[in-house]
Amino acid sequence: MGRSRRTLPEELLLLALDPATGTTAQPQSLDLGLAGAQLVELALAGRIAPDGDRIAVVVPRPTGDPTLDCALELLRRRGAPVRAVHWIGGPRLGLRQTYLSHLERCGMVHAVAGQMCGVLPTTRYQATDTEISREIRARLDSAIRTGVPPDPRTAALAALAHAVGLGKHLYPGNEGRSSRSRLRDLIRHDPMGGLVAHAVMDVQNGAAAQPRRSSAPGGRQAPGGRGAPEPARGVPAQPRRGPMARAAAH
């Protein structure tokens, strides 16, 4: 996999960067979204595939991206398919900083040192090439405006942006309500992106220990569910302690 194309985690992070303040919107949920974006990128590269609500490694060959390959190796070591919600809710300390540092090395952002309350050192990241961010945003805007099914990469980016709460950052206020609604609806155009987006939201809602409900025919939501796939091979989900505590730690 070449490095000429930006990965989904990088694009999601660039979307979340505020050009005026240099801070990232929705930082805690963004960390979950970056872990989810890695899964989608690995799926687009043909390394993993959904298996019900689980993620299975199908080709363990490295992609050439060190950060993605680290995630791929961790998934491979699990041996058996892992529930997406458990993977995303696991510890991901430093993942956002890893991608910010990478974007800085690539010249897409630059670090600006500062202080909080005149004492605590802080670092903001300003975009150095706003054309890249505009191009990413334009893809989402086009999908929302035209209603034409987007390509899988853009559909997954939309699903992740909605899942981490970037809708109100990208399309604020009452005037952005319809755009936020259409951003949410783009989830259905990419199965992997939808699976991961729902897993991100489940971790935030503290539902990681709950089994998914199946969807009704025709894509309608089954009672009490989101329309996500059933667990693989009918295996019941195993309970997991402290999903929100782990998510809050990132």
Side-chain angles (χ1 to χ4, degrees), residues 127-179:
T128 55
D129 188 347
T130 55
E131 182 61 30
I132 294 175
S133 297
R134 284 197 296 267
E135 181 272 327
I136 297 169
R137 174 69 180 270
R139 284 163 44 207
L140 290 186
D141 290 345
S142 177
I144 288 173
R145 183 180 63 255
T146 65
V148 176
D151 62 273
R153 182 173 293 274
T154 300
L157 181 62
L160 289 162
H162 167 70
V164 303
L166 288 185
K168 58 187 177 184
H169 168 72
L170 299 171
Y171 307 103
N174 287 333
E175 64 275 16
R177 184 177 299 172
S178 61
S179 293

Side-chain angles (χ1 to χ4, degrees), residues 158-206:
L160 289 162
H162 167 70
V164 303
L166 288 185
K168 58 187 177 184
H169 168 72
L170 299 171
Y171 307 103
N174 287 333
E175 64 275 16
R177 184 177 299 172
S178 61
S179 293
R180 292 195 299 271
S181 177
R182 288 193 289 270
L183 181 71
R184 179 195 63 218
D185 291 343
L186 289 175
I187 286 180
R188 70 181 187 273
H189 291 295
D190 180 60
M192 185 67 179
L195 168 64
V196 169
H198 284 310
V200 169
M201 291 185 283
D202 279 351
V203 173
Q204 294 179 83
N205 293 332

Side-chain angles (χ1 to χ4, degrees), residues 16-131:
L17 273 179
D18 189 310
T21 65
T23 59
T24 52
Q26 306 296 112
Q28 289 188 335
S29 56
L30 179 62
D31 290 346
L32 301 175
L34 291 173
Q38 287 187 311
L39 293 180
V40 180
E41 190 66 48
L42 286 170
L44 290 171
R47 300 313 196 265
I48 65 174
D51 182 3
D53 69 344
R54 298 172 186 264
I55 303 299
V57 175
V58 292
V59 178
R61 185 177 69 252
T63 66
D65 180 301
T67 310
L68 288 176
D69 288 342
C70 179
L72 179 62
E73 176 62 14
L74 289 174
L75 284 166
R76 187 193 67 79
R77 289 179 184 176
R78 294 290 185 95
V82 59
R83 287 186 69 204
V85 71
H86 285 178
W87 173 262
I88 291 169
R92 294 290 178 273
L93 296 177
L95 187 57
R96 189 181 356 143
Q97 186 57 51
T98 295
Y99 277 109
L100 283 169
S101 298
H102 171 74
L103 291 175
E104 184 181 18
R105 288 193 301 271
C106 292
M108 286 187 271
V109 302
H110 69 277
V112 180
Q115 289 184 327
M116 180 183 297
C117 301
V119 178
L120 299 176
T122 62
T123 303
R124 296 178 293 113
Y125 290 87
Q126 302 282 170
T128 55
D129 188 347
T130 55
E131 182 61 30

Side-chain angles (χ1 to χ4, degrees), residues 8-24:
L8 273 173
E10 293 162 5
E11 292 194 328
L12 184 65
L13 187 49
L14 286 170
L15 270 182
L17 273 179
D18 189 310
T21 65
T23 59
T24 52

